[in-house]
Amino acid sequence: MFDLEEIRSALDGLTQSDLVRLRRAGSKFALALDCTADDLIGEAVCSAYSGARECRRDLPILVFLVGAMRSIAWNAKVSSRKAGSEISLDATGTDGHPLVVLKCDAPDAETLVLRADDTARRIAALEDLFADDEPALLVIMADLDELSKEEIMVMNEMSETTYNSTRTRIRRKMERRFPNGWTA
């Protein structure tokens, strides 16, 4: 399997005609999706870089990328069939017919990245807020790891009274810092 540097080198070695073939294949597969050929090519390259798809050494990078795009398009088509579709009664297309909207509960990549960024900012705000209160910070981090009350008490060597007073202190400090909920 290619490593990251080998993938980068193989991509740099693509000729102009290879790029034209790649874009033509991307255009064909993107027809079934709601994206551009460049988006699909980018998704295929990202899947190679991230290791989600591994390129064998005996496979030319162009063949690998076309296969990756075909697979991405196929998986999107299958998942959209599984997700089903519903008709929007609120919106119509330019032809006057109701819009068909795909039903999908799974978040897209952008939503996942935004969620991870938001979580990191919230954790940083909590660490900053409780920097001078180690027992409270330990309880918060244990909560984030989804530990039970009993596990937290044992791990931090707390009595039930100490645990309850720590939780009260956390709640009060957070209510003062975030009176309208999370806005950090």
Side-chain angles (χ1 to χ4, degrees):
M1 300 298 159
F2 279 148
D3 64 17
L4 187 61
E5 283 304 314
E6 291 171 321
I7 292 171
R8 189 172 290 135
S9 176
L11 289 172
D12 289 340
L14 289 174
T15 65
Q16 192 63 34
S17 60
D18 290 337
L19 294 173
V20 169
R21 287 186 194 109
L22 189 62
R23 181 159 284 142
R24 186 179 307 137
S27 296
K28 182 175 86 172
F29 294 125
L31 285 175
L33 305 173
D34 188 25
C35 69
T36 66
D38 290 337
D39 290 337
L40 190 55
I41 292 168
E43 186 69 29
V45 170
C46 284
S47 69
Y49 276 148
S50 70
R53 297 178 190 277
E54 295 179 339
C55 181
R56 296 188 328 257
R57 292 186 188 280
D58 63 336
L59 191 65
I61 192 72
L62 179 65
V63 174
F64 167 76
L65 291 173
V66 170
M69 289 188 298
R70 178 184 301 117
S71 176
I72 292 167
W74 176 257
N75 289 338
K77 185 177 179 182
V78 168
S79 67
S80 70
R81 264 192 260 150
K82 285 181 183 175
S85 62
E86 60 185 30
I87 296 177
S88 171
L89 298 177
D90 299 329
T92 56
T94 55
D95 59 357
H97 295 345
L99 288 178
V100 175
V101 181
L102 292 180
K103 256 191 324 190
C104 182
D105 296 332
D108 61 355
E110 182 180 8
T111 302
L112 292 174
V113 168
L114 291 174
R115 282 183 189 169
D117 182 51
D118 183 55
T119 300
R121 283 188 289 118
R122 289 176 188 230
I123 290 172
L126 287 172
E127 288 173 343
D128 186 46
L129 184 62
F130 292 99
D132 59 341
D133 190 350
E134 187 176 348
L137 192 56
L138 290 172
V139 169
I140 290 169
M141 292 304 150
D143 274 344
L144 291 173
D145 288 336
E146 298 180 4
L147 298 178
S148 69
K149 173 184 175 179
E150 293 75 22
E151 291 171 318
I152 295 171
M153 288 171 47
V154 168
M155 185 177 77
N156 297 316
E157 299 174 358
M158 294 179 157
S159 67
E160 186 153 356
T161 304
T162 305
Y163 175 82
N164 290 336
S165 63
T166 302
R167 300 291 292 189
T168 302
R169 196 168 62 248
I170 291 169
R171 187 185 75 249
R172 288 180 180 162
K173 197 168 189 177
M174 287 180 68
E175 285 173 352
R176 280 192 306 270
R177 173 64 173 86
F178 307 106
N180 299 321
W182 279 103
T183 57

